[in-house]
Amino acid sequence: MRLAAFEALLTDAGREVLAGVDPKAAAGDQLAAASLLRGDPRVAALDPGLPVSELVNAVLTQVSLRERGRAKFGELARRMFFTPNGLEQSTRRAVADYRAERMAGASGPAGPSGWSPDGATAGDLCCGVGADLLALAARGVAVEGVDADPLTVAVARANIAALGLSGLARVREGDASATAPGRYPLLFCDPARRGGRGRVFDPSAYSPPWDTAVDLAEGAEAACLKAAPGIPHEALPGDAAAEWISVDGELKETALWFGALADGPRRRATVLHEREGLLAREGAVAHLDADPGLGPAPVAAARRYLYDPDPAVVRSHLVAEAAARVDGALLDERIAYFTADRAVLSPLWRVLEVVEVLPFSLKRLRSAVRGLGAGTVTVKKRGSAVDTEKLRRDLRASGPESVTVVLTRIGERPFCLLCREVDAPALEDASARD
């Protein structure tokens, strides 16, 4: 999408055309939707200097992106604007809101004391379509976004206007690498990890390069640097506090906190929830912090309950801290499952009741599944090379019950554990029996 075609959508006529397209109808029959738009004289009038086909494509692209954007931004996406790359790389609203709450706390009396020369107390470098700067502005933080792509800058500006935040947020086109350290007392930076050939894995090839981004963060009074969730622990800056964040069980990012924002634990796992069921049952957020005085977790044979920690807990290397909360032990010192005699429900892990433990054998496993009358089989694994989809087919399970099969390694031998999911009602029933 070219800048001129996008700008045509921002006119009153362009917004009217966008509002008149039924997203579900357009997704169901794109050819029919395109034909209707080509025949609409309002579309050609949006910019007589552009081909009608380009304007039609801009309209349908925006309609489609808004529908896809609902997965990240909820109903707010219907008012926002996107580019394909901008939507893919944008921060989920739940994460942006969570992070902005913490950063906004640093912009008060106890936080950054100064203002940049142009009036913004915070800078969002590589701001993209604006998810993070919108969250900051919504909390009263005066923020300036910086991005190198003219179209992306126009989209971010449109989002600021659409959400009524023009008094607190603005965006300028520029090279984040050229930002002087300390220009913004409060800084957020999300280095671009995609190039012309797709995803970039070498931190020195990020934009700005990783070392530059770290220097900018260290130069601010308080800062947050967004990193890929798989960042090696040895690559973490020594003066930063690291937080691994998951949403509804999916690991999303690592947030590195600097300066006034780095006074908390050095490592933290944070679990956020968006889905209504999880929100109601487990709450919006849960944390697990590193305990510097805690040694390695003990290792023991499987007990009554098996714990499957959230990916944020695993990636932050806080499995020992999680096990300690329930007096648990690892099944194997190299595998992130732990086991305990009691069940404690938490957003930080899933609890399974162990029914049977077997050395892995398809024949024995199939017999055990049939003995439980299980026709619905969920397969989880850590430290196993077994193809789970093929295993599920090979089990040929049938019956009214459900079972979870956990594949793992204990020592050098492969094992499988047959388990049942534990939820709050089941836990209450078990407590009553005990």
Side-chain angles (χ1 to χ4, degrees):
M1 178 167 42
R2 290 194 297 173
L3 179 57
F6 174 72
E7 290 178 335
L9 302 181
L10 302 181
T11 64
D12 290 342
R15 294 173 188 273
E16 183 180 327
V17 170
L18 276 173
V21 179
D22 183 339
K24 292 184 179 179
D29 192 338
Q30 291 187 350
L31 289 177
S35 179
L36 283 173
L37 287 170
R38 282 194 299 269
D40 188 337
R42 297 176 303 166
V43 175
L46 293 178
D47 189 332
L50 293 177
V52 174
S53 59
E54 185 173 352
L55 293 166
V56 168
N57 181 66
V59 170
L60 291 179
T61 296
Q62 204 56 235
V63 169
S64 173
L65 291 174
R66 283 178 166 180
E67 280 299 293
R68 287 167 50 194
R70 293 173 64 195
K72 284 190 172 184
F73 298 95
E75 291 306 302
L76 204 63
R78 296 188 184 277
R79 298 158 54 195
M80 294 176 67
F81 296 89
F82 303 98
T83 65
N85 286 340
L87 175 58
E88 181 179 349
Q89 298 173 40
S90 62
T91 304
R92 299 184 75 87
R93 185 181 179 187
V95 180
D97 285 348
Y98 165 77
R99 185 166 45 227
E101 285 286 345
R102 182 168 175 178
M103 294 186 72
S107 66
S113 57
W115 287 73
S116 71
D118 51 12
T121 189
D124 180 356
L125 306 185
C126 309
C127 68
V129 298
D132 291 284
L133 70 85
L134 293 171
L136 283 168
R139 285 156 180 79
V141 179
V143 57
E144 179 176 74
V146 181
D147 203 280
D149 178 59
L151 176 58
T152 301
V153 168
V155 171
R157 287 173 176 164
N159 285 330
I160 291 171
L163 300 188
L165 295 170
S166 298
L168 282 163
R170 61 171 175 255
V171 182
R172 64 178 173 88
E173 185 181 337
D175 180 2
S177 300
T179 303
R183 172 172 180 171
Y184 301 102
L186 180 63
L187 181 77
F188 175 73
C189 182
D190 178 9
R193 294 183 290 277
R194 282 190 176 274
R197 296 185 177 180
R199 189 175 295 276
V200 174
F201 295 97
D202 179 5
S204 65
Y206 291 174
S207 180
W210 183 250
D211 289 346
T212 301
V214 171
D215 287 344
L216 288 167
E218 291 176 337
E221 293 182 37
C224 179
L225 181 58
K226 178 179 172 179
I231 184 173
H233 280 238
E234 56 270 21
L236 299 175
D239 55 349
E243 181 177 20
W244 283 262
I245 302 174
S246 72
V247 178
D248 292 340
E250 292 186 17
L251 189 59
K252 295 300 182 182
E253 66 172 69
T254 307
L256 303 180
W257 302 96
F258 295 81
L261 288 166
D263 58 356
R266 306 309 296 173
R267 279 180 294 125
R268 165 175 278 184
T270 294
V271 176
L272 303 179
H273 285 149
E274 290 180 330
R275 293 203 299 266
E276 291 184 2
L278 289 173
L279 274 171
R281 187 170 69 246
E282 299 180 354
V285 59
H287 300 295
L288 181 65
D289 296 338
D291 180 355
L294 184 68
V299 178
R303 300 172 184 171
R304 180 173 179 180
Y305 296 102
L306 181 72
Y307 286 75
D308 182 12
D310 183 90
V313 174
V314 177
R315 194 68 194 94
S316 58
H317 296 180
L318 294 176
V319 176
E321 281 82 349
R325 286 196 175 188
V326 297
D327 301 318
L330 300 175
L331 289 177
D332 182 285
E333 63 183 8
R334 299 161 295 179
I335 306 295
Y337 290 126
F338 56 97
T339 187
D341 292 318
R342 60 194 181 99
V344 178
L345 299 184
S346 168
L348 297 166
W349 52 65
R350 291 289 172 263
V351 187
L352 302 167
E353 184 175 15
V354 178
V355 177
E356 189 172 359
V357 181
L358 301 168
F360 180 76
S361 158
L362 176 59
K363 183 177 180 180
R364 293 181 64 184
L365 179 58
R366 183 187 292 135
S367 175
V369 169
R370 288 178 176 173
L372 294 173
T376 302
V377 180
T378 300
V379 182
K380 298 175 177 284
K381 71 172 187 176
R382 294 189 193 275
S384 171
V386 173
D387 183 330
T388 57
E389 290 303 318
K390 184 176 185 300
L391 174 64
R392 192 178 288 107
R393 293 193 301 270
D394 290 344
L395 287 175
R396 299 194 293 273
S398 62
E401 302 299 325
S402 299
V403 67
T404 297
V405 174
V406 178
L407 306 176
T408 190
R409 185 183 67 244
I410 302 176
E412 298 303 318
R413 297 182 63 191
F415 275 80
C416 53
L417 292 81
L418 284 79
C419 306
R420 293 191 179 95
E421 293 279 351
V422 174
D423 55 20
L427 188 57
E428 292 171 1
D429 290 344
S431 299
R433 290 195 303 269
D434 292 344

